[in-house]
Amino acid sequence: MKISPLAQEMIINYKELLLGNARVTCPYFNNKKTGKRAGLRVLIGKGSPIEITDEASLIALKEHLDLFTASKDEIRKFLVDQNLGVDCSAFAYHVLGAQVKDQTNKQLKNNITFAKTNNFFRKIIQKIRIVENTNVQVLSDDVNSHEVVLSDIKPADMIIMKGFSGGATVRDHVLIVSEVDDNKIVYHHSLKWNTDTYKKHGIKMGEIFITDKTKSITDQTWHEGQKKGDENETLQRALKSSYCAIRRLNILDEKK
């Protein structure tokens, strides 16, 4: 089983941003590194593939960079230098938004609930800046999603990791399950490993081989970028989290 066609297309569009004549994987960018609290969502790690390519094209014109003659590596470095990328929760939001549209003909933005607040301005901001305010905590809130056992995992489920002992530099994270068969899970996510150069971080694909469905997701065999065990930083992040679970958006569960 695979994620829906629209969701597959969204993943491909992130993995193959078309700039000039080159197709470049979208880098990872988390706005917390720069501390910006407002601005266009494409400039704070929350943009869709088309928003990122449009903004990159505009900035390239200002910087007198010819995207049609630039090499793939030059374009990739340009994106990284300009902080044009996507964080894990925004990647998840846009992919899941495509899944929701395909599967239910509804809009994800109309089916996300935020924590209650008495701050009037905060309420307004949440309504008009939904993508920017949809983080891992929001996606994993019981009002928006629920836990799923490993034996029932399906495409478009999330693998949520949160609550780390590694300090402020280790952030909550989410993986999107893109394919499931009898003994393997394929997932996609946006992340920068500590070992990543500017060429490597961003949209990544990994595989989880199911060895025992009665055990937790972290007890299975994880492979990503030909790395496993201690060298697999995604797995290590999962193991260090105080909460790592499979969750499904309530709107995608026919039983809900």
Side-chain angles (χ1 to χ4, degrees), residues 34-209:
T34 62
K36 291 182 180 178
R37 294 181 60 85
L40 294 174
R41 67 186 187 187
V42 69
L43 299 177
I44 57 173
K46 301 295 185 179
S48 66
I50 189 65
E51 289 170 336
I52 294 170
T53 54
D54 284 351
E55 187 65 23
S57 297
L58 287 173
I59 295 175
L61 283 173
K62 294 178 183 178
E63 298 291 325
H64 304 292
L65 173 66
D66 188 343
L67 294 174
F68 288 92
T69 60
S71 69
K72 192 171 182 178
D73 280 354
E74 287 173 332
I75 295 174
R76 170 73 183 197
K77 189 173 187 304
F78 167 74
L79 291 174
V80 173
D81 290 345
Q82 296 297 329
N83 290 332
L84 289 174
V86 68
D87 66 22
C88 69
S89 56
F91 173 74
Y93 179 94
H94 290 293
V95 173
L96 291 173
Q99 179 77 25
V100 168
K101 184 176 180 181
D102 236 357
Q103 186 174 327
T104 70
N105 201 31
K106 296 179 181 179
Q107 297 291 323
L108 178 57
K109 66 181 182 180
N110 297 327
N111 291 274
I112 286 288
T113 300
F114 295 99
K116 291 183 179 179
T117 175
N118 293 323
N119 187 314
F120 173 78
F121 294 105
R122 184 64 182 164
K123 289 180 181 179
I124 297 298
I125 290 171
Q126 287 175 341
K127 287 184 178 180
I128 63 177
R129 294 171 67 87
I130 295 175
V131 181
E132 295 89 331
N133 285 280
T134 302
N135 56 22
V136 175
Q137 291 288 347
V138 171
L139 290 171
S140 61
D141 193 301
D142 288 342
V143 297
N144 294 313
S145 66
H146 58 281
E147 285 194 20
V148 175
V149 296
L150 179 58
S151 59
D152 188 38
I153 194 168
K154 295 179 181 179
D157 283 348
M158 303 174 287
I159 299 175
I160 297 285
M161 308 170 192
K162 58 184 182 179
F164 296 94
S165 59
T169 58
V170 183
R171 300 184 178 97
D172 295 343
H173 194 56
V174 55
L175 316 176
I176 298 298
V177 176
S178 52
E179 185 176 349
V180 176
D181 63 24
D182 288 339
N183 60 4
K184 185 177 75 172
I185 298 163
V186 179
Y187 65 82
H188 283 82
H189 64 136
S190 183
L191 185 62
K192 181 178 181 180
W193 283 11
N194 293 326
T195 53
D196 280 343
T197 65
Y198 76 88
K199 298 180 181 180
K200 295 292 185 180
H201 64 75
I203 309 306
K204 297 172 177 281
M205 183 193 79
E207 298 172 314
I208 302 172
F209 295 90

Side-chain angles (χ1 to χ4, degrees), residues 196-245:
D196 280 343
T197 65
Y198 76 88
K199 298 180 181 180
K200 295 292 185 180
H201 64 75
I203 309 306
K204 297 172 177 281
M205 183 193 79
E207 298 172 314
I208 302 172
F209 295 90
I210 302 172
T211 55
D212 188 340
K213 290 184 179 181
T214 65
K215 294 185 177 180
S216 72
I217 190 73
T218 54
D219 288 321
Q220 313 307 314
T221 302
W222 294 47
H223 289 187
E224 184 175 323
Q226 300 182 329
K227 302 293 185 181
K228 57 183 180 180
D230 291 343
E231 293 185 321
N232 186 329
E233 292 189 31
T234 303
L235 170 60
Q236 293 308 308
R237 182 177 287 241
L239 291 171
K240 291 176 182 177
S241 64
S242 62
Y243 178 89
C244 183

